[in-house]
Amino acid sequence: MSALPNDYTHIHVEQPGAPEVMQLTRSPLPVPLVGQVLIRVHAAGVNGPDIKQRVGAYPPPPGASAIIGLEVAGVICALGDGVSQWQLGDKVCALVPGGGYGEYALTYAAHCLPIPTDFSYVQAAALPETFFTVWGNLFMRAGLKAGETVLIHGGSGGIGSTAIQLASALGAKVIATTGKDEKRDYCLSLGAHEVINYRSQNFVEAVMAFTQDKGVNVVFDIAGGDFINLNLQALAMDGRMVSVAMQRGPKAEVELFRLMAKRIVWTGSTLRPQSVESKAAIANELQATVWPLLDSHKVVPNIFATFPLSEAPKAHALMESGEHRGKVVLTLV
């Protein structure tokens, strides 16, 4: 491989604010530590936590890069001590603790996965953050199984799109919600069996009608706020609810008796602060169970829009508009 540069271009945020606060700058090239790799980034996914970090609401955990960006695809160009599973020149997609919006990014070797068969760098960059989040929560925490019914909120976004595809591909019956009728067909195309417009319909009534008053086994919730009690109403006996975001607010007044009477298990997590080992465990399960679905193209991420790194503000503006269906990706090569 060619010699590495001394510095590189990346997005910098001087002060939190509107998308325009993201500007290109140059910094010294990072060096991989023990167990880490340096990736020459070809594409980087754009995600909800990126928006929160830009406005100052989601600071990076200790030791993580302050540069925005949590998922990339590219080529390994440097290896830290102790890395044996990857070689220089390997093409990978990876979950990164920060630093994705740049020409180079550091991450742990255990958080890299091979680029699926015939996937472009753009497609591969759309995988890690959403697939780690969905697998770690919907399947590892909530234990969704084939034959069960799941309610997935925000079905047309990056997280929701992934959740619908994986749940359907692995044998679950999927009910999705969206706030716009024009997104219904998109959710159905991903594998949803029923799509509910939560703005014009009472989603609890619609869920109960679809399940013949049994309720769903699992709720995958990105809403929080006033949806929490409605989710409890929509759940079946011994149901499980997993919270992964709080788009309708971080607080909820919970009907504890309903939770107790239905024997509901409520869990949730955030991905970025988890340990290196926890993320590696998710990566291992993804490679064993999900990567065959990607290699065979039974599951393929939907790329709604791409922007060059210099137009990262436009990518964030699109995300904040809510008009996207699927993933938004930045391109660097």
Side-chain angles (χ1 to χ4, degrees):
M1 298 185 67
S2 58
L4 296 175
N6 293 321
D7 54 14
Y8 75 113
T9 299
H10 62 84
I11 288 291
H12 175 67
V13 174
E14 185 69 32
Q15 292 290 335
E20 290 70 29
V21 300
M22 294 187 293
Q23 300 291 327
L24 292 177
T25 190
R26 292 188 70 83
S27 294
L29 194 70
V31 177
L33 302 176
V34 174
Q36 293 184 332
V37 298
L38 182 67
I39 298 172
R40 173 67 169 100
V41 177
H42 286 241
V46 179
N47 295 282
D50 302 348
I51 310 294
K52 291 182 179 179
Q53 182 174 338
R54 191 202 76 227
V55 300
Y58 193 51
S65 171
I67 299 167
I68 297 173
L70 299 175
E71 60 182 352
V72 301
V75 180
I76 292 178
C77 58
L79 304 172
D81 290 342
V83 175
S84 59
Q85 65 268 56
W86 301 108
Q87 304 296 321
L88 295 178
D90 283 348
K91 298 177 180 180
V92 297
C93 56
L95 189 72
V96 299
Y101 289 16
E103 293 176 322
Y104 293 85
L106 278 182
T107 193
Y108 290 91
H111 301 166
C112 297
L113 288 158
I115 292 181
T117 304
D118 295 329
F119 269 45
S120 67
Y121 285 114
V122 166
Q123 289 175 305
L127 298 175
E129 171 71 11
T130 50
F131 277 72
F132 273 74
T133 296
V134 171
W135 189 261
N137 285 287
L138 185 55
F139 294 92
M140 294 176 73
R141 289 186 175 276
L144 181 66
K145 300 176 182 65
E148 292 188 320
T149 302
V150 58
L151 172 63
I152 296 171
H153 287 302
S156 62
I159 293 285
S161 297
T162 299
I164 291 172
Q165 285 187 290
L166 286 183
S168 177
L170 293 171
K173 190 166 288 187
V174 178
I175 304 171
T177 67
T178 180
K180 297 183 178 181
D181 286 337
E182 56 266 32
K183 294 183 177 181
R184 174 183 173 81
D185 287 344
Y186 172 67
C187 293
L188 291 171
S189 74
L190 297 174
H193 298 81
E194 177 70 289
V195 182
I196 302 164
N197 185 332
Y198 66 85
R199 297 185 193 277
S200 60
Q201 296 174 268
N202 180 315
F203 77 78
V204 175
E205 292 179 356
V207 164
M208 288 303 179
F210 184 82
T211 61
Q212 299 179 320
D213 289 327
K214 294 177 182 177
V216 295
N217 305 106
V218 176
V219 173
F220 184 76
D221 184 63
I222 65 164
D226 58 335
F227 270 29
I228 296 300
N229 275 329
L230 298 175
N231 292 336
L232 296 179
Q233 294 174 33
L235 277 163
M237 293 293 291
D238 296 304
R240 292 95 70 197
M241 177 166 64
V242 59
S243 294
V244 300
M246 304 166 289
Q247 292 184 359
R248 296 178 72 89
K251 296 182 179 180
E253 199 168 303
V254 179
E255 297 173 357
L256 286 176
F257 181 74
R258 189 183 301 276
L259 184 147
M260 294 159 59
K262 287 187 173 183
R263 302 186 295 272
I264 290 167
V265 174
W266 182 11
T267 184
S269 74
T270 55
L271 180 61
R272 194 177 191 183
Q274 291 186 43
S275 69
V276 174
E277 294 76 16
S278 293
K279 294 175 187 175
I282 299 173
N284 289 337
E285 290 203 15
L286 283 171
Q287 186 154 10
T289 306
V290 176
W291 248 240
L293 298 173
L294 295 166
D295 284 328
S296 63
H297 290 210
K298 292 180 180 177
V299 173
V300 178
N302 181 69
I303 310 300
F304 184 73
T306 62
F307 297 87
L309 182 65
S310 61
E311 294 183 6
K314 292 182 180 179
H316 275 220
L318 173 60
M319 288 282 290
E320 290 178 302
S321 76
E323 295 299 320
H324 61 295
R325 292 183 290 280
K327 292 286 290 192
V328 178
V329 176
L330 300 174
T331 58
L332 290 97
V333 176

mmCIF file of all heavy atoms in Angstrom, residues 115-138:
data_model
loop_
_atom_site.group_PDB
_atom_site.id
_atom_site.type_symbol
_atom_site.label_atom_id
_atom_site.label_comp_id
_atom_site.label_asym_id
_atom_site.label_seq_id
_atom_site.Cartn_x
_atom_site.Cartn_y
_atom_site.Cartn_z
ATOM 1 N N ILE A 115 -17.062 -6.584 3.971
ATOM 2 C CA ILE A 115 -18.097 -6.005 3.109
ATOM 3 C C ILE A 115 -18.839 -7.152 2.426
ATOM 4 O O ILE A 115 -18.220 -8.026 1.819
ATOM 5 C CB ILE A 115 -17.477 -5.052 2.083
ATOM 6 C CG1 ILE A 115 -16.920 -3.811 2.805
ATOM 7 C CG2 ILE A 115 -18.486 -4.641 1.018
ATOM 8 C CD1 ILE A 115 -16.309 -2.774 1.898
ATOM 9 N N PRO A 116 -20.167 -7.186 2.537
ATOM 10 C CA PRO A 116 -20.922 -8.297 1.939
ATOM 11 C C PRO A 116 -20.703 -8.410 0.429
ATOM 12 O O PRO A 116 -20.337 -7.435 -0.244
ATOM 13 C CB PRO A 116 -22.379 -7.941 2.266
ATOM 14 C CG PRO A 116 -22.287 -7.080 3.485
ATOM 15 C CD PRO A 116 -21.033 -6.281 3.305
ATOM 16 N N THR A 117 -20.947 -9.580 -0.088
ATOM 17 C CA THR A 117 -20.720 -9.895 -1.496
ATOM 18 C C THR A 117 -21.419 -8.903 -2.419
ATOM 19 O O THR A 117 -22.631 -8.669 -2.300
ATOM 20 C CB THR A 117 -21.225 -11.319 -1.803
ATOM 21 O OG1 THR A 117 -20.581 -12.227 -0.905
ATOM 22 C CG2 THR A 117 -20.914 -11.708 -3.238
ATOM 23 N N ASP A 118 -20.642 -8.304 -3.318
ATOM 24 C CA ASP A 118 -21.144 -7.379 -4.345
ATOM 25 C C ASP A 118 -21.753 -6.099 -3.782
ATOM 26 O O ASP A 118 -22.475 -5.392 -4.485
ATOM 27 C CB ASP A 118 -22.165 -8.079 -5.261
ATOM 28 C CG ASP A 118 -21.550 -9.195 -6.081
ATOM 29 O OD1 ASP A 118 -20.356 -9.082 -6.425
ATOM 30 O OD2 ASP A 118 -22.252 -10.188 -6.366
ATOM 31 N N PHE A 119 -21.461 -5.780 -2.535
ATOM 32 C CA PHE A 119 -21.913 -4.513 -1.961
ATOM 33 C C PHE A 119 -20.918 -3.416 -2.329
ATOM 34 O O PHE A 119 -19.697 -3.633 -2.325
ATOM 35 C CB PHE A 119 -22.000 -4.602 -0.432
ATOM 36 C CG PHE A 119 -23.342 -5.027 0.097
ATOM 37 C CD1 PHE A 119 -24.026 -6.086 -0.463
ATOM 38 C CD2 PHE A 119 -23.913 -4.380 1.187
ATOM 39 C CE1 PHE A 119 -25.258 -6.492 0.027
ATOM 40 C CE2 PHE A 119 -25.134 -4.775 1.690
ATOM 41 C CZ PHE A 119 -25.817 -5.825 1.105
ATOM 42 N N SER A 120 -21.428 -2.228 -2.612
ATOM 43 C CA SER A 120 -20.568 -1.062 -2.796
ATOM 44 C C SER A 120 -20.143 -0.536 -1.427
ATOM 45 O O SER A 120 -20.707 -0.914 -0.387
ATOM 46 C CB SER A 120 -21.332 0.037 -3.546
ATOM 47 O OG SER A 120 -22.391 0.532 -2.733
ATOM 48 N N TYR A 121 -19.150 0.345 -1.433
ATOM 49 C CA TYR A 121 -18.755 0.974 -0.169
ATOM 50 C C TYR A 121 -19.922 1.765 0.433
ATOM 51 O O TYR A 121 -20.090 1.794 1.655
ATOM 52 C CB TYR A 121 -17.556 1.902 -0.387
ATOM 53 C CG TYR A 121 -16.247 1.190 -0.588
ATOM 54 C CD1 TYR A 121 -15.576 1.255 -1.815
ATOM 55 C CD2 TYR A 121 -15.654 0.458 0.438
ATOM 56 C CE1 TYR A 121 -14.357 0.614 -2.013
ATOM 57 C CE2 TYR A 121 -14.440 -0.184 0.250
ATOM 58 C CZ TYR A 121 -13.798 -0.112 -0.975
ATOM 59 O OH TYR A 121 -12.596 -0.759 -1.161
ATOM 60 N N VAL A 122 -20.711 2.405 -0.408
ATOM 61 C CA VAL A 122 -21.856 3.178 0.084
ATOM 62 C C VAL A 122 -22.854 2.260 0.780
ATOM 63 O O VAL A 122 -23.337 2.564 1.883
ATOM 64 C CB VAL A 122 -22.530 3.941 -1.079
ATOM 65 C CG1 VAL A 122 -23.899 4.473 -0.669
ATOM 66 C CG2 VAL A 122 -21.635 5.098 -1.532
ATOM 67 N N GLN A 123 -23.184 1.131 0.167
ATOM 68 C CA GLN A 123 -24.106 0.192 0.804
ATOM 69 C C GLN A 123 -23.528 -0.337 2.110
ATOM 70 O O GLN A 123 -24.227 -0.441 3.122
ATOM 71 C CB GLN A 123 -24.401 -0.975 -0.140
ATOM 72 C CG GLN A 123 -25.269 -0.626 -1.333
ATOM 73 C CD GLN A 123 -25.395 -1.811 -2.275
ATOM 74 O OE1 GLN A 123 -24.398 -2.373 -2.732
ATOM 75 N NE2 GLN A 123 -26.631 -2.196 -2.579
ATOM 76 N N ALA A 124 -22.235 -0.673 2.086
ATOM 77 C CA ALA A 124 -21.604 -1.239 3.278
ATOM 78 C C ALA A 124 -21.559 -0.234 4.424
ATOM 79 O O ALA A 124 -21.702 -0.603 5.599
ATOM 80 C CB ALA A 124 -20.206 -1.734 2.947
ATOM 81 N N ALA A 125 -21.366 1.044 4.091
ATOM 82 C CA ALA A 125 -21.301 2.069 5.135
ATOM 83 C C ALA A 125 -22.648 2.274 5.809
ATOM 84 O O ALA A 125 -22.719 2.836 6.913
ATOM 85 C CB ALA A 125 -20.816 3.392 4.539
ATOM 86 N N ALA A 126 -23.716 1.834 5.186
ATOM 87 C CA ALA A 126 -25.059 1.979 5.748
ATOM 88 C C ALA A 126 -25.405 0.870 6.739
ATOM 89 O O ALA A 126 -26.478 0.877 7.320
ATOM 90 C CB ALA A 126 -26.095 1.984 4.616
ATOM 91 N N LEU A 127 -24.486 -0.070 6.949
ATOM 92 C CA LEU A 127 -24.804 -1.243 7.763
ATOM 93 C C LEU A 127 -24.497 -1.115 9.261
ATOM 94 O O LEU A 127 -25.375 -1.406 10.087
ATOM 95 C CB LEU A 127 -24.063 -2.473 7.206
ATOM 96 C CG LEU A 127 -24.413 -2.905 5.777
ATOM 97 C CD1 LEU A 127 -23.504 -4.056 5.355
ATOM 98 C CD2 LEU A 127 -25.872 -3.312 5.673
ATOM 99 N N PRO A 128 -23.272 -0.757 9.671
ATOM 100 C CA PRO A 128 -22.866 -1.028 11.049
ATOM 101 C C PRO A 128 -23.736 -0.416 12.140
ATOM 102 O O PRO A 128 -24.230 -1.139 13.019
ATOM 103 C CB PRO A 128 -21.434 -0.469 11.104
ATOM 104 C CG PRO A 128 -20.947 -0.582 9.695
ATOM 105 C CD PRO A 128 -22.136 -0.250 8.858
ATOM 106 N N GLU A 129 -23.934 0.891 12.143
ATOM 107 C CA GLU A 129 -24.655 1.531 13.245
ATOM 108 C C GLU A 129 -26.072 0.977 13.377
ATOM 109 O O GLU A 129 -26.517 0.632 14.484
ATOM 110 C CB GLU A 129 -24.679 3.051 13.043
ATOM 111 C CG GLU A 129 -25.579 3.803 14.017
ATOM 112 C CD GLU A 129 -25.054 3.849 15.441
ATOM 113 O OE1 GLU A 129 -23.889 3.480 15.674
ATOM 114 O OE2 GLU A 129 -25.823 4.267 16.331
ATOM 115 N N THR A 130 -26.778 0.882 12.279
ATOM 116 C CA THR A 130 -28.158 0.411 12.362
ATOM 117 C C THR A 130 -28.239 -1.082 12.653
ATOM 118 O O THR A 130 -29.059 -1.518 13.454
ATOM 119 C CB THR A 130 -28.920 0.734 11.061
ATOM 120 O OG1 THR A 130 -28.150 0.292 9.944
ATOM 121 C CG2 THR A 130 -29.174 2.206 10.929
ATOM 122 N N PHE A 131 -27.384 -1.870 12.028
ATOM 123 C CA PHE A 131 -27.458 -3.320 12.239
ATOM 124 C C PHE A 131 -26.990 -3.701 13.641
ATOM 125 O O PHE A 131 -27.579 -4.592 14.272
ATOM 126 C CB PHE A 131 -26.678 -4.064 11.156
ATOM 127 C CG PHE A 131 -27.460 -4.258 9.888
ATOM 128 C CD1 PHE A 131 -27.723 -3.184 9.040
ATOM 129 C CD2 PHE A 131 -27.972 -5.495 9.549
ATOM 130 C CE1 PHE A 131 -28.463 -3.354 7.880
ATOM 131 C CE2 PHE A 131 -28.713 -5.682 8.389
ATOM 132 C CZ PHE A 131 -28.965 -4.603 7.549
ATOM 133 N N PHE A 132 -25.942 -3.058 14.157
ATOM 134 C CA PHE A 132 -25.543 -3.303 15.545
ATOM 135 C C PHE A 132 -26.673 -2.919 16.501
ATOM 136 O O PHE A 132 -26.970 -3.634 17.448
ATOM 137 C CB PHE A 132 -24.287 -2.490 15.891
ATOM 138 C CG PHE A 132 -22.977 -3.152 15.566
ATOM 139 C CD1 PHE A 132 -22.535 -3.262 14.250
ATOM 140 C CD2 PHE A 132 -22.163 -3.637 16.575
ATOM 141 C CE1 PHE A 132 -21.307 -3.843 13.938
ATOM 142 C CE2 PHE A 132 -20.932 -4.223 16.282
ATOM 143 C CZ PHE A 132 -20.505 -4.340 14.964
ATOM 144 N N THR A 133 -27.307 -1.769 16.251
ATOM 145 C CA THR A 133 -28.376 -1.289 17.120
ATOM 146 C C THR A 133 -29.577 -2.232 17.097
ATOM 147 O O THR A 133 -30.098 -2.621 18.141
ATOM 148 C CB THR A 133 -28.822 0.121 16.701
ATOM 149 O OG1 THR A 133 -27.724 1.023 16.878
ATOM 150 C CG2 THR A 133 -30.003 0.602 17.535
ATOM 151 N N VAL A 134 -30.008 -2.589 15.895
ATOM 152 C CA VAL A 134 -31.188 -3.454 15.777
ATOM 153 C C VAL A 134 -30.908 -4.840 16.333
ATOM 154 O O VAL A 134 -31.709 -5.394 17.105
ATOM 155 C CB VAL A 134 -31.660 -3.526 14.314
ATOM 156 C CG1 VAL A 134 -32.739 -4.598 14.150
ATOM 157 C CG2 VAL A 134 -32.186 -2.166 13.860
ATOM 158 N N TRP A 135 -29.768 -5.422 15.957
ATOM 159 C CA TRP A 135 -29.491 -6.781 16.431
ATOM 160 C C TRP A 135 -29.316 -6.811 17.954
ATOM 161 O O TRP A 135 -29.876 -7.672 18.642
ATOM 162 C CB TRP A 135 -28.257 -7.367 15.750
ATOM 163 C CG TRP A 135 -28.125 -8.831 16.087
ATOM 164 C CD1 TRP A 135 -27.331 -9.399 17.032
ATOM 165 C CD2 TRP A 135 -28.877 -9.896 15.496
ATOM 166 N NE1 TRP A 135 -27.536 -10.754 17.072
ATOM 167 C CE2 TRP A 135 -28.475 -11.086 16.144
ATOM 168 C CE3 TRP A 135 -29.841 -9.951 14.487
ATOM 169 C CZ2 TRP A 135 -29.018 -12.332 15.814
ATOM 170 C CZ3 TRP A 135 -30.369 -11.190 14.154
ATOM 171 C CH2 TRP A 135 -29.960 -12.357 14.817
ATOM 172 N N GLY A 136 -28.546 -5.849 18.474
ATOM 173 C CA GLY A 136 -28.288 -5.834 19.902
ATOM 174 C C GLY A 136 -29.525 -5.618 20.740
ATOM 175 O O GLY A 136 -29.620 -6.123 21.869
ATOM 176 N N ASN A 137 -30.499 -4.897 20.216
ATOM 177 C CA ASN A 137 -31.712 -4.587 20.984
ATOM 178 C C ASN A 137 -32.887 -5.496 20.652
ATOM 179 O O ASN A 137 -33.471 -6.122 21.540
ATOM 180 C CB ASN A 137 -32.109 -3.121 20.758
ATOM 181 C CG ASN A 137 -31.204 -2.173 21.507
ATOM 182 O OD1 ASN A 137 -31.273 -2.055 22.718
ATOM 183 N ND2 ASN A 137 -30.325 -1.501 20.783
ATOM 184 N N LEU A 138 -33.236 -5.584 19.374
ATOM 185 C CA LEU A 138 -34.437 -6.327 19.002
ATOM 186 C C LEU A 138 -34.259 -7.836 19.177
ATOM 187 O O LEU A 138 -35.183 -8.532 19.607
ATOM 188 C CB LEU A 138 -34.808 -6.014 17.546
ATOM 189 C CG LEU A 138 -36.110 -6.609 17.015
ATOM 190 C CD1 LEU A 138 -37.297 -6.247 17.890
ATOM 191 C CD2 LEU A 138 -36.352 -6.152 15.574
#
